[in-house]
Amino acid sequence: MPTDPEEIATEFVLPDTDPLLFYGANDRNLKIIEKYFKVSLLGRGNVIKLVGSGADVQQVEELLRELVLIINRNKNLSRTDLLTLIQIIKGESDQVGLTVTRPETDQNSVVLYTAAGNVKPNTAGQQQYCQAVEENDIVFCIGPAGTGKTYLAVAMAVAYLNKKRVNKIILARPAVEAGENLGYLPGDYREKINPYLAPLYDALENIVAMPVLRKQIDQGIIEVIPLAYMRGRTLNNAFVLLDEGQNCTFMQMKMFLTRLGVNSKCIVNGDITQIDLPKTKEAGLLGIQKILQGISGIKFVYLDSADVVRHKLVKDIINAYAKEGSRDTEE
């Protein structure tokens, strides 16, 4: 029983989970948890006794529930999985030490530490992109495919959430067909719209542990939505990303930008060489720099083929298309 009046004691029951996998050899996993939280843990069979400060006990109970999901899914619990969840629940990545190599000279450039390694800008353009987000409330990042616009934006959003600099993440995309008709896809509206949002889910799944991601989506902490769902909202304490911004109309872009509330960050990504809007619609990303010129807190960043981080041929393809485009213009 606790002796400190601020301490509480409770029990956590492992439901249909192998205690040996959960505890680890010589209770290794329990000892790791005790290192990062002000709690003492005693495991006997499928019951874990927790004693510690109220706030830490609540966090550890949340951690234990997530660990159960991982073990039941993977039939295993690695040290990396455990440290990743501790990082996310504490929201203090620097305390957990997830990165194997963390050179002193690189610390300022790292966007997010994850179990798979660190996420950081790999080119001068990407470095400028990350710095612009830190220094401005609204950032437009314009560049070709493969330059890391979406992945870096999602990583920055997760970093802000983990550090409690925002309370939620909202990722949006316009549902615009690229030569295909949405109406001909099978399923209901949600099933039809999901393929348009898949790149955002892909980025999240590479960055956030799946059990945590599932929970944050269920709780509305992370939203992945079509652009149309933004209308009428005011987004306070949020990190907001509009991906594929070149496929927004002029009025949609205005609608999106005016959703921003107190203590929020906003990124608009786009590739103006890949506009899928009908020719009768004016693309909101074209001419936006002229409209917003001179407004403090808004920054435009331009990436090019030098910033491509996909397959080496992607850079060559982009340059080839750019060359063809200039020839068309001359003709």
Side-chain angles (χ1 to χ4, degrees):
M1 295 297 292
T3 56
D4 190 321
E6 294 185 359
E7 287 188 338
I8 63 172
T10 187
E11 292 184 347
F12 182 88
V13 179
L14 299 175
D16 301 322
T17 302
D18 184 349
L20 292 179
L21 282 178
F22 199 96
Y23 300 150
N26 299 317
D27 291 342
R28 180 197 64 185
N29 295 333
L30 299 186
K31 291 174 183 175
I32 290 175
I33 295 171
E34 288 178 331
K35 179 180 176 181
Y36 294 107
F37 297 91
K38 296 176 181 178
V39 296
S40 62
L41 303 174
L42 178 63
R44 290 290 182 268
N46 69 332
V47 177
I48 302 175
K49 293 184 178 180
L50 299 84
V51 178
S53 68
D56 280 54
V57 167
Q58 288 180 350
Q59 286 188 318
V60 170
E61 285 182 307
E62 180 182 0
L63 173 66
L64 298 181
R65 286 192 290 270
E66 299 294 347
L67 292 177
V68 167
L69 293 175
I70 288 180
I71 292 174
N72 289 344
R73 183 190 65 188
N74 300 338
K75 309 303 179 188
N76 181 47
L77 177 61
S78 69
R79 183 176 184 273
T80 295
D81 286 334
L82 176 56
L83 289 175
T84 299
L85 285 169
I86 291 173
Q87 172 197 14
I88 293 168
I89 286 173
K90 287 184 72 66
E92 300 172 358
S93 58
D94 288 342
Q95 292 188 10
V96 182
L98 292 175
T99 308
V100 177
T101 58
R102 192 173 171 181
E104 197 69 28
T105 56
D106 276 346
Q107 288 190 34
N108 291 333
S109 65
V110 173
V111 173
L112 179 70
Y113 294 97
T114 74
N118 54 41
V119 179
K120 63 179 182 179
N122 292 311
T123 69
Q126 290 181 348
Q127 179 68 51
Q128 182 187 7
Y129 178 25
C130 295
Q131 185 176 347
V133 173
E134 186 65 28
E135 296 174 354
N136 299 272
D137 288 338
I138 299 178
V139 173
F140 291 85
C141 184
I142 299 172
T147 50
K149 301 186 300 295
T150 300
Y151 193 79
L152 275 175
V154 172
M156 286 186 276
V158 172
Y160 267 67
L161 182 67
N162 287 351
K163 294 176 182 178
K164 304 187 188 305
R165 297 175 69 177
V166 296
N167 295 334
K168 68 185 308 179
I169 296 171
I170 299 173
L171 310 178
R173 262 192 167 208
V176 176
E177 295 93 341
E180 299 179 54
N181 195 317
L182 185 66
Y184 287 110
L185 293 175
D188 59 20
Y189 175 74
R190 177 57 59 182
E191 291 170 318
K192 289 181 179 183
I193 209 70
N194 277 341
Y196 292 94
L197 305 178
L200 297 175
Y201 282 113
D202 290 344
L204 282 169
E205 289 169 8
N206 280 326
I207 291 170
V208 183
M210 184 57 70
V212 177
L213 175 59
R214 218 179 280 122
K215 180 176 181 180
Q216 290 178 330
I217 289 175
D218 289 343
Q219 294 178 337
I221 296 172
I222 296 178
E223 292 184 58
V224 184
I225 58 175
L227 176 61
Y229 283 36
M230 301 285 286
R231 190 173 298 278
R233 300 182 66 177
T234 300
L235 306 174
N236 296 320
N237 298 303
F239 197 113
V240 190
L241 165 64
L242 174 59
D243 203 35
E244 297 291 311
Q246 78 277 4
N247 287 329
C248 295
T249 65
F250 180 87
M251 290 307 298
Q252 284 175 329
M253 183 64 74
K254 179 182 178 182
M255 178 274 291
F256 172 78
L257 293 174
T258 54
R259 301 305 93 202
L260 205 62
V262 177
N263 190 42
S264 289
K265 285 274 185 181
C266 172
I267 296 177
V268 178
N269 285 336
D271 178 0
I272 57 176
T273 69
Q274 294 189 13
I275 297 174
D276 299 314
L277 290 169
K279 291 184 178 179
T280 56
K281 298 284 188 180
E282 182 181 358
L285 201 54
L286 296 177
I288 193 71
Q289 183 175 12
K290 182 178 180 181
I291 295 171
L292 302 180
Q293 187 176 16
I295 299 179
S296 178
I298 297 178
K299 179 75 172 179
F300 286 81
V301 177
Y302 298 92
L303 304 180
D304 56 30
S305 60
D307 300 300
V308 170
V309 291
R310 288 184 185 168
H311 193 286
K312 60 182 181 180
L313 286 177
V314 173
K315 183 182 298 186
D316 296 333
I317 291 169
I318 290 168
N319 288 333
Y321 269 91
K323 185 177 180 181
E324 183 67 21
S326 64
R327 184 158 58 240
D328 290 344
T329 301
E330 290 171 4
E331 294 174 357

